Amino acid sequence: MEIAGEKIYPIGLGTWHMGDDLVKRTAELAALQTGLKQASSTVKIAIDTAEMYGDGNSEELVGKALQSVSRENVYLISKVYPWNATKEKLPQSLAASLKRLKTDYLDLYLLHWPGEVPLAETVTALEDAKKSGLIKNWGVSNFDLSDMQELWQLPAGKNCAANEVLYNLGSRGIEFDLLPWLNKQQVPLIAYSPIAQGDSLGNQFLQDGGLQEIAARHGVSIFQLLLAWAIRDEKTLAIPQSSNKDHVLTNLAAAKIQLTKKEWQKIAARYLAPTKKQPLAVL
């Protein structure tokens, strides 16, 4: 898939909840390094973090992981708090993130969710950061259709490079109106929690006999099947989080899964697309 002309592997690395526990830090670092080392000069591996995650602990962990790979092969994403998205505060937040990440630029900088700061002011601050070379592109996160439409009314609003929202087989609400709109405007989707936080959100995918049958036929896990489903349109970047290096590799391998049309239809029949507007799901 592509974001703003950059070729990116469709499955990346999420880092929410990572970096806080010193006991887990060694395994988390190894997991991130393992994933990033799968990148190449032709297809980058995305890694997604935010100043919110552990109040910077996640960014510091990512910064350490970046030291073991070529920075040019990584598609680095971070996010700014809505209350820091002013013309005065955003440069400070960005500088702090870059320091923790031990890099001099971000590939993509996202407004973490809509806030009280006027969107026009935030876009101006993001555009200034882009002109300065500190970020290559900017986007948004947790923006519903009305938020995107408001953004599109701004002079530089259409420079938005992506929208990151909750999306998985059990959370399909965006397919009613937001996702079609993004596709029409050619705005890529970044799907967070694409495996429903390890099937901990009440969907019980692991107990689904139909999914088990399809997964067994392809020699893959249910989680790999969920990832393959999330990226099936080739316009979506899925960012599952894992602190286990073996799981990271199996996550990345899910991009190679090829289901038949009948199998896709069977999954769609078990987990129905929305037929009316739903509030944007968030975690």
Side-chain angles (χ1 to χ4, degrees):
M1 64 92 60
E2 290 189 5
I3 296 180
E6 294 262 29
K7 288 187 177 181
I8 306 166
Y9 197 72
I11 296 174
L13 309 172
T15 64
W16 193 14
H17 304 306
M18 295 179 73
D20 287 338
D21 190 337
L22 292 178
V23 175
K24 298 178 180 178
R25 203 171 180 86
T26 299
E28 290 174 340
L29 182 60
L32 295 181
Q33 290 172 330
T34 297
L36 293 177
K37 286 177 181 176
Q38 309 311 305
S40 70
S41 58
T42 55
V43 180
K44 298 184 176 185
I45 294 288
I47 185 165
D48 178 276
T49 185
E51 67 174 352
M52 184 190 83
Y53 299 168
D55 287 328
N57 288 338
S58 172
E59 288 181 325
E60 289 183 355
L61 181 68
V62 172
K64 289 186 178 180
L66 288 173
Q67 304 310 302
S68 64
V69 297
S70 172
R71 173 67 182 88
E72 291 72 25
N73 294 348
V74 177
Y75 194 84
L76 180 59
I77 306 169
S78 193
K79 310 180 196 72
V80 60
Y81 276 123
W83 50 85
N84 287 339
T86 67
K87 197 166 183 180
E88 294 75 23
K89 291 183 179 179
L90 187 143
Q92 299 170 17
S93 281
L94 177 55
S97 288
L98 292 174
K99 183 177 181 180
R100 288 189 289 264
L101 290 163
K102 297 182 175 63
T103 187
D104 55 4
Y105 72 97
L106 295 176
D107 294 281
L108 185 63
Y109 198 33
L110 306 179
L111 173 61
H112 209 147
W113 62 87
E116 296 182 1
V117 176
L119 198 51
E121 181 177 352
T122 297
V123 169
T124 296
L126 290 167
E127 283 291 302
D128 287 345
K130 184 176 177 180
K131 290 172 185 174
S132 72
L134 296 177
I135 66 174
K136 286 190 173 181
N137 285 286
W138 61 267
V140 295
S141 181
N142 297 302
F143 267 46
D144 204 349
L145 177 60
S146 60
D147 303 309
M148 293 302 301
Q149 290 173 329
E150 179 186 354
L151 178 62
W152 241 238
Q153 297 305 308
L154 300 176
K158 293 181 181 179
N159 291 340
C160 174
N163 184 14
E164 181 176 319
V165 300
L166 175 68
Y167 185 55
N168 58 59
L169 186 57
S171 299
R172 300 184 63 178
I174 65 169
E175 292 180 25
F176 182 76
D177 55 358
L178 176 60
L179 188 56
W181 187 92
L182 293 175
N183 288 338
K184 183 177 180 180
Q185 304 299 331
Q186 297 183 317
V187 178
L189 172 71
I190 302 175
Y192 74 80
S193 296
I195 57 173
Q197 294 202 327
D199 197 18
S200 65
L201 301 181
N203 298 289
Q204 298 185 323
F205 294 125
L206 295 176
Q207 282 72 51
D208 187 313
L211 294 181
Q212 290 174 352
E213 180 185 340
I214 295 172
R217 191 179 303 133
H218 290 269
V220 301
S221 70
I222 296 290
F223 294 133
Q224 286 178 300
L225 198 60
L226 294 178
L227 285 171
W229 180 89
I231 63 170
R232 68 197 184 285
D233 65 357
E234 300 181 355
K235 301 172 185 175
T236 300
L237 168 65
I239 48 169
Q241 182 274 331
S242 178
S243 301
N244 180 297
K245 60 183 182 180
D246 292 329
H247 290 169
V248 166
L249 291 177
T250 56
N251 284 344
L252 295 177
K256 307 296 184 183
I257 297 173
Q258 297 289 330
L259 299 189
T260 66
K261 183 177 180 180
K262 188 175 181 180
E263 287 171 329
W264 286 127
Q265 291 173 339
K266 184 174 182 179
I267 293 173
R270 300 178 78 84
Y271 298 90
L272 301 178
T275 57
K276 62 181 180 179
K277 173 67 179 176
Q278 299 178 10
L280 184 69
V282 296
L283 292 178

